[in-house]
Amino acid sequence: QVQLVESGGGLVQAGGSLRLSCAVSNSGMIFRLSAMGWYRQAPGKQRELVAAVTSGGSTDYADSVKGRFTISRDNAKKTVSLQMNSLKPEDTAIYYCNLHFALSGMDLWGQGTQVTVSS
């Protein structure tokens, strides 16, 4: 079955950077045909979309991270990454990788990785 595994979270001071990665396994051609996204959920808040990249490479970002975060995908390695710069305490959350395969309605999630930004 298709699995998503995130890595790269941690503790960083405000203004610092982190890079999150998500490796997708057992996906065959599904990864290449899927939209990939990073979501986050802070304590007491709903999960929100941070950034997404379509199968064609188009990207979209939440207004709160535009200009600071960059999403990218590597179809050969079946990975999606999120480069996070100029981090703020309000970026603190659990970050989740998402795979959305529209043709079948498949929607898969990773286990999440904690990002903590200290002031």
Side-chain angles (χ1 to χ4, degrees):
Q1 63 186 32
V2 180
Q3 291 185 321
L4 285 68
V5 178
E6 300 103 334
S7 61
L11 173 64
V12 64
Q13 288 188 332
S17 298
L18 282 174
R19 185 176 181 86
L20 305 182
S21 292
C22 174
V24 180
S25 60
N26 304 320
S27 67
M29 285 296 295
I30 290 176
F31 179 84
R32 188 181 297 272
L33 300 175
S34 297
M36 299 297 300
W38 285 97
Y39 290 71
R40 67 187 180 189
Q41 187 166 19
K45 294 188 177 181
Q46 289 189 328
R47 190 173 298 189
E48 62 174 356
L49 176 66
V50 175
V53 57
T54 68
S55 58
S58 298
T59 58
D60 192 23
Y61 297 92
D63 288 343
S64 59
V65 307
K66 282 181 181 176
R68 300 189 298 123
F69 291 10
T70 302
I71 190 171
S72 60
R73 65 188 296 159
D74 185 328
N75 287 336
K77 295 182 179 179
K78 297 183 180 178
T79 59
V80 60
S81 298
L82 184 69
Q83 178 66 42
M84 305 185 294
N85 299 328
S86 302
L87 283 161
K88 304 175 181 180
E90 51 263 44
D91 295 318
T92 295
I94 299 174
Y95 284 70
Y96 297 91
C97 178
N98 172 262
L99 178 150
H100 180 68
F101 183 49
L103 290 177
S104 70
M106 180 186 296
D107 212 18
L108 299 176
W109 297 89
Q111 82 285 356
T113 185
Q114 176 72 47
V115 171
T116 303
V117 184
S118 62
S119 57

Tab-separated table of all heavy atoms in Angstrom, residues 55-115:
chain	number	residue	atom	x	y	z
A	55	SER	N	0.455	17.758	-10.220
A	55	SER	CA	1.245	16.799	-10.981
A	55	SER	C	2.020	17.497	-12.092
A	55	SER	O	3.090	17.041	-12.495
A	55	SER	CB	0.349	15.714	-11.570
A	55	SER	OG	-0.651	16.279	-12.388
A	56	GLY	N	1.505	18.624	-12.550
A	56	GLY	CA	2.177	19.377	-13.599
A	56	GLY	C	3.198	20.366	-13.099
A	56	GLY	O	3.870	21.032	-13.888
A	57	GLY	N	3.305	20.501	-11.774
A	57	GLY	CA	4.321	21.374	-11.208
A	57	GLY	C	3.842	22.748	-10.781
A	57	GLY	O	4.638	23.554	-10.283
A	58	SER	N	2.566	23.041	-10.951
A	58	SER	CA	2.054	24.328	-10.488
A	58	SER	C	1.980	24.337	-8.967
A	58	SER	O	1.648	23.318	-8.358
A	58	SER	CB	0.668	24.591	-11.077
A	58	SER	OG	0.729	24.668	-12.478
A	59	THR	N	2.267	25.483	-8.379
A	59	THR	CA	2.297	25.580	-6.925
A	59	THR	C	1.290	26.598	-6.405
A	59	THR	O	0.887	27.525	-7.117
A	59	THR	CB	3.699	25.969	-6.429
A	59	THR	OG1	4.072	27.219	-7.016
A	59	THR	CG2	4.721	24.915	-6.800
A	60	ASP	N	0.912	26.414	-5.152
A	60	ASP	CA	0.006	27.334	-4.484
A	60	ASP	C	0.408	27.399	-3.018
A	60	ASP	O	0.872	26.392	-2.465
A	60	ASP	CB	-1.443	26.859	-4.617
A	60	ASP	CG	-2.435	27.924	-4.201
A	60	ASP	OD1	-2.078	29.123	-4.225
A	60	ASP	OD2	-3.579	27.571	-3.839
A	61	TYR	N	0.247	28.571	-2.414
A	61	TYR	CA	0.673	28.767	-1.036
A	61	TYR	C	-0.394	29.501	-0.233
A	61	TYR	O	-1.120	30.349	-0.766
A	61	TYR	CB	1.963	29.601	-0.991
A	61	TYR	CG	3.143	28.944	-1.652
A	61	TYR	CD1	3.430	29.170	-2.995
A	61	TYR	CD2	3.966	28.079	-0.931
A	61	TYR	CE1	4.508	28.552	-3.610
A	61	TYR	CE2	5.046	27.467	-1.534
A	61	TYR	CZ	5.310	27.703	-2.874
A	61	TYR	OH	6.377	27.084	-3.478
A	62	ALA	N	-0.438	29.207	1.050
A	62	ALA	CA	-1.244	30.010	1.953
A	62	ALA	C	-0.639	31.412	2.012
A	62	ALA	O	0.586	31.568	1.926
A	62	ALA	CB	-1.266	29.388	3.344
A	63	ASP	N	-1.486	32.406	2.152
A	63	ASP	CA	-0.992	33.783	2.195
A	63	ASP	C	0.042	33.973	3.304
A	63	ASP	O	0.996	34.744	3.153
A	63	ASP	CB	-2.158	34.754	2.412
A	63	ASP	CG	-3.033	34.893	1.184
A	63	ASP	OD1	-2.575	34.513	0.081
A	63	ASP	OD2	-4.168	35.375	1.318
A	64	SER	N	-0.136	33.271	4.396
A	64	SER	CA	0.732	33.457	5.559
A	64	SER	C	2.163	32.972	5.333
A	64	SER	O	3.064	33.336	6.103
A	64	SER	CB	0.148	32.742	6.779
A	64	SER	OG	0.007	31.349	6.511
A	65	VAL	N	2.384	32.167	4.292
A	65	VAL	CA	3.730	31.629	4.060
A	65	VAL	C	4.323	32.070	2.728
A	65	VAL	O	5.480	31.737	2.433
A	65	VAL	CB	3.745	30.091	4.151
A	65	VAL	CG1	3.140	29.613	5.459
A	65	VAL	CG2	3.061	29.454	2.970
A	66	LYS	N	3.574	32.801	1.931
A	66	LYS	CA	4.081	33.246	0.626
A	66	LYS	C	5.357	34.063	0.800
A	66	LYS	O	5.444	34.936	1.661
A	66	LYS	CB	3.018	34.072	-0.099
A	66	LYS	CG	1.922	33.249	-0.735
A	66	LYS	CD	0.912	34.123	-1.458
A	66	LYS	CE	-0.190	33.281	-2.077
A	66	LYS	NZ	-1.250	34.100	-2.708
A	67	GLY	N	6.343	33.737	-0.028
A	67	GLY	CA	7.613	34.434	0.043
A	67	GLY	C	8.576	33.857	1.060
A	67	GLY	O	9.754	34.225	1.090
A	68	ARG	N	8.090	32.956	1.914
A	68	ARG	CA	8.957	32.347	2.937
A	68	ARG	C	9.137	30.843	2.721
A	68	ARG	O	10.200	30.294	3.009
A	68	ARG	CB	8.373	32.581	4.337
A	68	ARG	CG	8.225	34.050	4.710
A	68	ARG	CD	7.840	34.213	6.180
A	68	ARG	NE	6.541	33.611	6.496
A	68	ARG	CZ	6.366	32.680	7.423
A	68	ARG	NH1	7.392	32.220	8.119
A	68	ARG	NH2	5.144	32.198	7.660
A	69	PHE	N	8.088	30.192	2.236
A	69	PHE	CA	8.118	28.737	2.052
A	69	PHE	C	8.152	28.410	0.558
A	69	PHE	O	7.555	29.118	-0.261
A	69	PHE	CB	6.889	28.087	2.657
A	69	PHE	CG	6.814	28.110	4.166
A	69	PHE	CD1	7.700	28.862	4.938
A	69	PHE	CD2	5.846	27.369	4.825
A	69	PHE	CE1	7.623	28.866	6.316
A	69	PHE	CE2	5.753	27.370	6.209
A	69	PHE	CZ	6.644	28.122	6.953
A	70	THR	N	8.799	27.305	0.227
A	70	THR	CA	8.843	26.829	-1.146
A	70	THR	C	8.607	25.326	-1.176
A	70	THR	O	9.309	24.573	-0.491
A	70	THR	CB	10.196	27.133	-1.803
A	70	THR	OG1	10.448	28.538	-1.762
A	70	THR	CG2	10.199	26.673	-3.256
A	71	ILE	N	7.622	24.905	-1.965
A	71	ILE	CA	7.342	23.481	-2.130
A	71	ILE	C	7.959	23.010	-3.440
A	71	ILE	O	7.963	23.744	-4.432
A	71	ILE	CB	5.820	23.202	-2.096
A	71	ILE	CG1	5.551	21.698	-2.028
A	71	ILE	CG2	5.100	23.850	-3.275
A	71	ILE	CD1	4.084	21.348	-1.774
A	72	SER	N	8.467	21.784	-3.423
A	72	SER	CA	9.040	21.209	-4.644
A	72	SER	C	8.828	19.706	-4.627
A	72	SER	O	8.650	19.112	-3.566
A	72	SER	CB	10.533	21.541	-4.752
A	72	SER	OG	11.242	21.019	-3.643
A	73	ARG	N	8.841	19.128	-5.811
A	73	ARG	CA	8.669	17.683	-5.916
A	73	ARG	C	9.733	17.104	-6.836
A	73	ARG	O	10.199	17.765	-7.761
A	73	ARG	CB	7.270	17.317	-6.427
A	73	ARG	CG	6.963	17.751	-7.842
A	73	ARG	CD	5.488	17.505	-8.184
A	73	ARG	NE	5.140	16.093	-8.164
A	73	ARG	CZ	3.894	15.626	-8.021
A	73	ARG	NH1	2.890	16.463	-7.877
A	73	ARG	NH2	3.663	14.333	-8.035
A	74	ASP	N	10.088	15.873	-6.555
A	74	ASP	CA	11.042	15.129	-7.376
A	74	ASP	C	10.350	13.836	-7.776
A	74	ASP	O	10.231	12.914	-6.966
A	74	ASP	CB	12.320	14.862	-6.591
A	74	ASP	CG	13.402	14.207	-7.435
A	74	ASP	OD1	13.066	13.431	-8.363
A	74	ASP	OD2	14.583	14.440	-7.171
A	75	ASN	N	9.863	13.789	-9.015
A	75	ASN	CA	9.100	12.616	-9.449
A	75	ASN	C	9.976	11.368	-9.549
A	75	ASN	O	9.495	10.252	-9.358
A	75	ASN	CB	8.422	12.889	-10.789
A	75	ASN	CG	7.246	13.835	-10.649
A	75	ASN	OD1	6.655	13.960	-9.573
A	75	ASN	ND2	6.909	14.518	-11.732
A	76	ALA	N	11.234	11.534	-9.847
A	76	ALA	CA	12.124	10.377	-9.942
A	76	ALA	C	12.342	9.749	-8.569
A	76	ALA	O	12.346	8.515	-8.434
A	76	ALA	CB	13.458	10.790	-10.550
A	77	LYS	N	12.503	10.574	-7.559
A	77	LYS	CA	12.728	10.076	-6.205
A	77	LYS	C	11.429	9.880	-5.433
A	77	LYS	O	11.434	9.318	-4.342
A	77	LYS	CB	13.635	11.040	-5.437
A	77	LYS	CG	15.034	11.148	-5.990
A	77	LYS	CD	15.882	12.087	-5.143
A	77	LYS	CE	17.303	12.168	-5.686
A	77	LYS	NZ	18.145	13.106	-4.883
A	78	LYS	N	10.310	10.358	-6.001
A	78	LYS	CA	8.995	10.265	-5.342
A	78	LYS	C	9.042	10.935	-3.973
A	78	LYS	O	8.652	10.352	-2.945
A	78	LYS	CB	8.532	8.813	-5.249
A	78	LYS	CG	8.319	8.192	-6.624
A	78	LYS	CD	7.786	6.767	-6.549
A	78	LYS	CE	7.603	6.197	-7.948
A	78	LYS	NZ	7.140	4.792	-7.928
A	79	THR	N	9.521	12.151	-3.994
A	79	THR	CA	9.568	12.941	-2.767
A	79	THR	C	8.986	14.328	-3.014
A	79	THR	O	8.986	14.832	-4.143
A	79	THR	CB	10.996	13.108	-2.244
A	79	THR	OG1	11.792	13.759	-3.254
A	79	THR	CG2	11.627	11.766	-1.905
A	80	VAL	N	8.502	14.918	-1.948
A	80	VAL	CA	8.065	16.312	-1.984
A	80	VAL	C	8.679	16.995	-0.765
A	80	VAL	O	8.735	16.415	0.319
A	80	VAL	CB	6.529	16.436	-1.997
A	80	VAL	CG1	5.898	15.817	-0.766
A	80	VAL	CG2	6.112	17.874	-2.173
A	81	SER	N	9.155	18.207	-0.982
A	81	SER	CA	9.858	18.921	0.084
A	81	SER	C	9.215	20.282	0.334
A	81	SER	O	8.555	20.843	-0.541
A	81	SER	CB	11.330	19.117	-0.294
A	81	SER	OG	11.971	17.867	-0.446
A	82	LEU	N	9.435	20.776	1.529
A	82	LEU	CA	8.975	22.106	1.884
A	82	LEU	C	10.140	22.839	2.544
A	82	LEU	O	10.539	22.489	3.659
A	82	LEU	CB	7.783	22.042	2.839
A	82	LEU	CG	7.151	23.386	3.196
A	82	LEU	CD1	6.448	23.982	1.965
A	82	LEU	CD2	6.158	23.235	4.343
A	83	GLN	N	10.681	23.820	1.841
A	83	GLN	CA	11.738	24.656	2.391
A	83	GLN	C	11.084	25.815	3.118
A	83	GLN	O	10.324	26.583	2.514
A	83	GLN	CB	12.654	25.173	1.285
A	83	GLN	CG	13.752	26.101	1.776
A	83	GLN	CD	14.754	25.399	2.672
A	83	GLN	OE1	15.159	24.266	2.391
A	83	GLN	NE2	15.155	26.052	3.755
A	84	MET	N	11.382	25.928	4.401
A	84	MET	CA	10.749	26.955	5.225
A	84	MET	C	11.815	27.912	5.730
A	84	MET	O	12.709	27.499	6.485
A	84	MET	CB	10.012	26.314	6.403
A	84	MET	CG	9.002	25.256	5.974
A	84	MET	SD	8.033	24.621	7.360
A	84	MET	CE	9.314	23.786	8.302
A	85	ASN	N	11.729	29.159	5.308
A	85	ASN	CA	12.673	30.191	5.715
A	85	ASN	C	11.965	31.264	6.534
A	85	ASN	O	10.738	31.359	6.513
A	85	ASN	CB	13.325	30.828	4.489
A	85	ASN	CG	14.117	29.838	3.661
A	85	ASN	OD1	14.694	28.889	4.185
A	85	ASN	ND2	14.153	30.057	2.351
A	86	SER	N	12.742	32.050	7.229
A	86	SER	CA	12.191	33.157	8.029
A	86	SER	C	11.049	32.677	8.914
A	86	SER	O	9.970	33.281	8.949
A	86	SER	CB	11.723	34.295	7.109
A	86	SER	OG	12.774	34.764	6.305
A	87	LEU	N	11.287	31.593	9.600
A	87	LEU	CA	10.228	30.991	10.407
A	87	LEU	C	9.806	31.897	11.546
A	87	LEU	O	10.620	32.637	12.118
A	87	LEU	CB	10.690	29.635	10.935
A	87	LEU	CG	10.639	28.507	9.892
A	87	LEU	CD1	11.516	27.338	10.303
A	87	LEU	CD2	9.206	28.049	9.682
A	88	LYS	N	8.518	31.809	11.860
A	88	LYS	CA	7.915	32.614	12.912
A	88	LYS	C	7.309	31.690	13.972
A	88	LYS	O	6.940	30.542	13.658
A	88	LYS	CB	6.812	33.501	12.330
A	88	LYS	CG	7.261	34.405	11.200
A	88	LYS	CD	6.074	35.145	10.612
A	88	LYS	CE	6.495	36.054	9.459
A	88	LYS	NZ	5.341	36.786	8.871
A	89	PRO	N	7.155	32.171	15.192
A	89	PRO	CA	6.521	31.315	16.214
A	89	PRO	C	5.151	30.802	15.786
A	89	PRO	O	4.773	29.673	16.149
A	89	PRO	CB	6.428	32.255	17.418
A	89	PRO	CG	7.579	33.188	17.252
A	89	PRO	CD	7.672	33.420	15.770
A	90	GLU	N	4.435	31.593	15.007
A	90	GLU	CA	3.099	31.153	14.564
A	90	GLU	C	3.146	30.045	13.526
A	90	GLU	O	2.111	29.498	13.155
A	90	GLU	CB	2.286	32.341	14.037
A	90	GLU	CG	2.995	33.180	13.006
A	90	GLU	CD	3.648	34.419	13.628
A	90	GLU	OE1	4.279	34.292	14.697
A	90	GLU	OE2	3.531	35.504	13.011
A	91	ASP	N	4.333	29.686	13.055
A	91	ASP	CA	4.482	28.527	12.166
A	91	ASP	C	4.546	27.224	12.951
A	91	ASP	O	4.552	26.137	12.353
A	91	ASP	CB	5.747	28.665	11.313
A	91	ASP	CG	5.684	29.829	10.351
A	91	ASP	OD1	4.624	30.038	9.730
A	91	ASP	OD2	6.714	30.529	10.197
A	92	THR	N	4.591	27.322	14.269
A	92	THR	CA	4.646	26.120	15.098
A	92	THR	C	3.398	25.278	14.906
A	92	THR	O	2.280	25.764	15.039
A	92	THR	CB	4.784	26.508	16.579
A	92	THR	OG1	6.046	27.162	16.769
A	92	THR	CG2	4.703	25.292	17.482
A	93	ALA	N	3.595	24.004	14.571
A	93	ALA	CA	2.474	23.099	14.286
A	93	ALA	C	3.030	21.719	13.962
A	93	ALA	O	4.236	21.542	13.804
A	93	ALA	CB	1.654	23.612	13.106
A	94	ILE	N	2.121	20.774	13.844
A	94	ILE	CA	2.471	19.489	13.242
A	94	ILE	C	2.218	19.630	11.753
A	94	ILE	O	1.128	20.050	11.342
A	94	ILE	CB	1.650	18.340	13.832
A	94	ILE	CG1	1.913	18.208	15.329
A	94	ILE	CG2	2.000	17.031	13.130
A	94	ILE	CD1	1.041	17.183	16.020
A	95	TYR	N	3.208	19.280	10.964
A	95	TYR	CA	3.112	19.393	9.513
A	95	TYR	C	2.876	18.000	8.911
A	95	TYR	O	3.595	17.041	9.242
A	95	TYR	CB	4.384	20.011	8.941
A	95	TYR	CG	4.449	21.502	9.168
A	95	TYR	CD1	4.636	22.029	10.443
A	95	TYR	CD2	4.303	22.392	8.104
A	95	TYR	CE1	4.666	23.402	10.645
A	95	TYR	CE2	4.344	23.767	8.302
A	95	TYR	CZ	4.517	24.259	9.579
A	95	TYR	OH	4.546	25.614	9.788
A	96	TYR	N	1.888	17.933	8.028
A	96	TYR	CA	1.490	16.674	7.410
A	96	TYR	C	1.670	16.739	5.900
A	96	TYR	O	1.305	17.728	5.259
A	96	TYR	CB	0.027	16.372	7.700
A	96	TYR	CG	-0.303	16.168	9.160
A	96	TYR	CD1	-0.686	17.229	9.957
A	96	TYR	CD2	-0.247	14.890	9.729
A	96	TYR	CE1	-1.012	17.048	11.299
A	96	TYR	CE2	-0.565	14.692	11.063
A	96	TYR	CZ	-0.940	15.774	11.842
A	96	TYR	OH	-1.252	15.587	13.167
A	97	CYS	N	2.169	15.664	5.351
A	97	CYS	CA	2.270	15.512	3.902
A	97	CYS	C	0.978	14.851	3.399
A	97	CYS	O	0.440	13.943	4.053
A	97	CYS	CB	3.474	14.633	3.580
A	97	CYS	SG	3.739	14.282	1.842
A	98	ASN	N	0.498	15.295	2.260
A	98	ASN	CA	-0.736	14.774	1.684
A	98	ASN	C	-0.533	14.423	0.220
A	98	ASN	O	0.105	15.176	-0.531
A	98	ASN	CB	-1.857	15.802	1.826
A	98	ASN	CG	-3.113	15.409	1.082
A	98	ASN	OD1	-3.350	15.862	-0.035
A	98	ASN	ND2	-3.923	14.558	1.684
A	99	LEU	N	-1.090	13.291	-0.169
A	99	LEU	CA	-1.128	12.890	-1.572
A	99	LEU	C	-2.586	12.835	-2.008
A	99	LEU	O	-3.410	12.194	-1.344
A	99	LEU	CB	-0.476	11.514	-1.748
A	99	LEU	CG	-0.473	10.901	-3.158
A	99	LEU	CD1	0.774	10.009	-3.329
A	99	LEU	CD2	-1.705	10.102	-3.458
A	100	HIS	N	-2.904	13.504	-3.098
A	100	HIS	CA	-4.274	13.498	-3.624
A	100	HIS	C	-4.238	13.021	-5.064
A	100	HIS	O	-3.700	13.693	-5.945
A	100	HIS	CB	-4.889	14.891	-3.550
A	100	HIS	CG	-6.287	14.939	-4.080
A	100	HIS	ND1	-7.347	14.310	-3.438
A	100	HIS	CD2	-6.815	15.497	-5.191
A	100	HIS	CE1	-8.445	14.496	-4.135
A	100	HIS	NE2	-8.147	15.207	-5.198
A	101	PHE	N	-4.812	11.826	-5.279
A	101	PHE	CA	-4.886	11.227	-6.611
A	101	PHE	C	-6.325	11.369	-7.081
A	101	PHE	O	-7.189	10.574	-6.718
A	101	PHE	CB	-4.446	9.769	-6.540
A	101	PHE	CG	-4.409	9.060	-7.858
A	101	PHE	CD1	-3.786	9.624	-8.962
A	101	PHE	CD2	-4.983	7.792	-8.005
A	101	PHE	CE1	-3.754	8.969	-10.184
A	101	PHE	CE2	-4.952	7.127	-9.215
A	101	PHE	CZ	-4.336	7.718	-10.310
A	102	ALA	N	-6.579	12.404	-7.883
A	102	ALA	CA	-7.944	12.784	-8.235
A	102	ALA	C	-8.696	11.708	-9.013
A	102	ALA	O	-9.918	11.557	-8.850
A	102	ALA	CB	-7.920	14.084	-9.025
A	103	LEU	N	-7.990	10.925	-9.829
A	103	LEU	CA	-8.684	9.952	-10.688
A	103	LEU	C	-9.450	8.913	-9.883
A	103	LEU	O	-10.488	8.407	-10.324
A	103	LEU	CB	-7.673	9.264	-11.611
A	103	LEU	CG	-7.090	10.147	-12.711
A	103	LEU	CD1	-6.053	9.372	-13.518
A	103	LEU	CD2	-8.190	10.651	-13.639
A	104	SER	N	-8.949	8.588	-8.694
A	104	SER	CA	-9.634	7.588	-7.867
A	104	SER	C	-10.178	8.180	-6.575
A	104	SER	O	-10.838	7.486	-5.799
A	104	SER	CB	-8.671	6.444	-7.513
A	104	SER	OG	-7.681	6.900	-6.610
A	105	GLY	N	-9.901	9.447	-6.331
A	105	GLY	CA	-10.316	10.066	-5.076
A	105	GLY	C	-9.442	9.693	-3.903
A	105	GLY	O	-9.780	9.965	-2.746
A	106	MET	N	-8.292	9.067	-4.183
A	106	MET	CA	-7.382	8.669	-3.112
A	106	MET	C	-6.823	9.908	-2.418
A	106	MET	O	-6.347	10.836	-3.068
A	106	MET	CB	-6.230	7.833	-3.666
A	106	MET	CG	-5.239	7.375	-2.622
A	106	MET	SD	-3.811	6.532	-3.354
A	106	MET	CE	-4.602	5.086	-4.073
A	107	ASP	N	-6.858	9.889	-1.113
A	107	ASP	CA	-6.359	11.002	-0.298
A	107	ASP	C	-5.601	10.379	0.867
A	107	ASP	O	-6.202	9.787	1.764
A	107	ASP	CB	-7.530	11.825	0.201
A	107	ASP	CG	-7.208	13.294	0.347
A	107	ASP	OD1	-6.208	13.753	-0.242
A	107	ASP	OD2	-7.946	13.999	1.051
A	108	LEU	N	-4.277	10.497	0.853
A	108	LEU	CA	-3.455	9.844	1.859
A	108	LEU	C	-2.655	10.859	2.665
A	108	LEU	O	-2.280	11.914	2.130
A	108	LEU	CB	-2.497	8.850	1.197
A	108	LEU	CG	-3.154	7.704	0.421
A	108	LEU	CD1	-2.091	6.860	-0.250
A	108	LEU	CD2	-4.016	6.856	1.325
A	109	TRP	N	-2.364	10.488	3.909
A	109	TRP	CA	-1.633	11.381	4.815
A	109	TRP	C	-0.436	10.684	5.433
A	109	TRP	O	-0.465	9.473	5.675
A	109	TRP	CB	-2.556	11.846	5.941
A	109	TRP	CG	-3.715	12.652	5.484
A	109	TRP	CD1	-4.944	12.191	5.112
A	109	TRP	CD2	-3.766	14.071	5.319
A	109	TRP	NE1	-5.753	13.238	4.735
A	109	TRP	CE2	-5.056	14.399	4.867
A	109	TRP	CE3	-2.845	15.107	5.535
A	109	TRP	CZ2	-5.450	15.720	4.605
A	109	TRP	CZ3	-3.240	16.412	5.287
A	109	TRP	CH2	-4.528	16.708	4.819
A	110	GLY	N	0.597	11.454	5.707
A	110	GLY	CA	1.694	10.956	6.492
A	110	GLY	C	1.362	11.056	7.966
A	110	GLY	O	0.282	11.509	8.360
A	111	GLN	N	2.317	10.650	8.790
A	111	GLN	CA	2.083	10.615	10.226
A	111	GLN	C	2.293	11.970	10.883
A	111	GLN	O	1.900	12.169	12.041
A	111	GLN	CB	3.013	9.567	10.883
A	111	GLN	CG	4.434	10.040	11.162
A	111	GLN	CD	5.306	10.139	9.919
A	111	GLN	OE1	4.887	9.790	8.815
A	111	GLN	NE2	6.531	10.617	10.099
A	112	GLY	N	2.904	12.889	10.180
A	112	GLY	CA	3.125	14.232	10.714
A	112	GLY	C	4.502	14.394	11.325
A	112	GLY	O	5.100	13.435	11.820
A	113	THR	N	5.010	15.613	11.268
A	113	THR	CA	6.292	15.941	11.879
A	113	THR	C	6.153	17.283	12.595
A	113	THR	O	5.571	18.220	12.057
A	113	THR	CB	7.426	15.961	10.835
A	113	THR	OG1	8.684	16.162	11.492
A	113	THR	CG2	7.240	17.044	9.787
A	114	GLN	N	6.674	17.351	13.800
A	114	GLN	CA	6.515	18.548	14.624
A	114	GLN	C	7.528	19.613	14.229
A	114	GLN	O	8.725	19.339	14.116
A	114	GLN	CB	6.690	18.204	16.101
A	114	GLN	CG	6.629	19.387	17.038
A	114	GLN	CD	5.225	19.955	17.174
A	114	GLN	OE1	4.268	19.205	17.360
A	114	GLN	NE2	5.104	21.280	17.082
A	115	VAL	N	7.032	20.825	14.056
A	115	VAL	CA	7.878	22.000	13.848
A	115	VAL	C	7.580	22.972	14.977
A	115	VAL	O	6.429	23.358	15.180
A	115	VAL	CB	7.612	22.662	12.488
A	115	VAL	CG1	8.344	24.000	12.392
A	115	VAL	CG2	8.042	21.740	11.360
